[in-house]
Each structure stands twice: as structure tokens, then as C-alpha cells.
Amino acid sequence: NYRTLLTVSKGTLHGIGVNMPIITDAGLVGYITEVGATWSKAVVLTETATAVGGYIERSGALGVVEGTYELRTEGLCRMVYIEAESDIRVGDKVITSGIGGVYPRGLLVGRVSAIEVDEASRTLTAIVEPAADLDSISKVMIVTEYGVNEEASDGTE
């Protein structure tokens, strides 16, 4: 059974708040959308309501990783708005860029499994297989706070 909504057994009594990222040891899962005293609900990154700034680790190509209705049933998401001349390849790692304020920079999102050319917008779209196994999540970590490295906030390392 494919999941797009998770319930976590921690809430405001444990310092959990809305928009906090959820990860596993394998990579990014999603973010908290609703919080009670002893529980939280979260959506996974393949859900249509999610988007995260990302970049290709090998080349630095930037884009936005988002869930789509068509891909979520396959456990996949896509990276859009990638410039047409960007250097991306199947197998490349997709990492969070830190742009947008919800997710810190440097979390593994997944790997590129396919690349499509959008002739109309002259951009590339990468199909991304999440690093975290979203079908069998039993334990997660919630990132309650993180600092921003100003030197790396421009997309370079």
C-alpha cells in the first residue's frame, strides 16, 4: 500500500511544529503538515502538495522537486524547471538546495531515473526515485531546527 500521509507519535509536547522536515537514514521523506499535543501528520515528497528546491549533486543543476498525481502511485516524483543545457544524467543524486526555508540544504532526495525534454518550455524534467523507501517507513527523524550556512546559500559549495 502506497502512503502519502504519515502519522507520527510526537507533537507539540515534544517540540514538533508545522513545516518541519522529516527524514530517515536513507534520505528525505516529507514535512509536517498538522500537529497535535502528542501526534503529527506529514505528507511525503511524492504527494502533489509537496515541492522542494533541489540540485544535482554532480553538476549543480537547479530545479524544483515536486509530487504529481501520475507519479505518486509509482512512488516517484519529478524535478522540473531545469535549464535545457544543464548536465544531468540518469543515476545523478538529487539534494535539497535549502531554498524555500522548509528544508535545510544537503539532504538526499533521491536519484534521477529518467530525463524528459519539454520542447514547449525548453526545460528538462527529471523523474526522481526517492532515496527513502516510502512504502515501508516505520521510524523517522524530524528536523526541529537547523542553521543556514551563508557561504553555501548561493548554490555553490
Side-chain angles (χ1 to χ4, degrees):
N1 295 329
Y2 189 71
R3 297 183 195 179
T4 58
L5 181 67
L6 303 175
T7 302
V8 181
S9 61
K10 302 293 180 198
T12 56
L13 291 176
H14 308 96
I16 307 304
V18 172
N19 289 333
M20 289 183 173
I22 295 180
I23 59 174
T24 67
D25 59 344
L28 182 65
V29 172
Y31 69 98
I32 300 290
T33 58
E34 190 178 342
V35 182
T38 60
W39 58 269
S40 301
K41 290 190 179 182
V43 294
V44 299
L45 61 100
T46 55
E47 177 56 44
T48 57
T50 63
V52 54
Y55 70 96
I56 303 297
E57 183 180 54
R58 182 183 55 78
S59 67
L62 293 170
V64 175
V65 179
E66 63 181 16
T68 70
Y69 181 77
E70 298 80 22
L71 292 173
R72 77 177 181 177
T73 57
E74 299 175 49
L76 302 171
C77 48
R78 68 182 183 182
M79 185 171 172
V80 295
Y81 309 120
I82 306 167
E83 292 183 7
E85 59 278 349
S86 296
D87 179 16
I88 63 171
R89 299 179 193 153
V90 170
D92 278 346
K93 287 183 183 179
V94 179
I95 309 293
T96 56
S97 67
I99 298 170
V102 173
Y103 301 98
R105 179 181 171 84
L107 299 176
L108 178 61
V109 176
R111 291 189 181 269
V112 174
S113 62
I115 302 163
E116 301 168 353
V117 177
D118 184 341
E119 295 295 337
S121 66
R122 297 183 182 195
T123 62
L124 300 175
T125 297
I127 306 303
V128 178
E129 182 176 349
D133 182 359
L134 303 177
D135 283 334
S136 61
I137 294 173
S138 61
K139 294 184 180 186
V140 297
M141 294 172 274
I142 301 172
V143 179
T144 57
E145 78 181 71
Y146 60 91
V148 176
N149 180 349
E150 294 299 324
E151 291 177 21
S153 66
D154 64 355
T156 61
E157 296 198 45

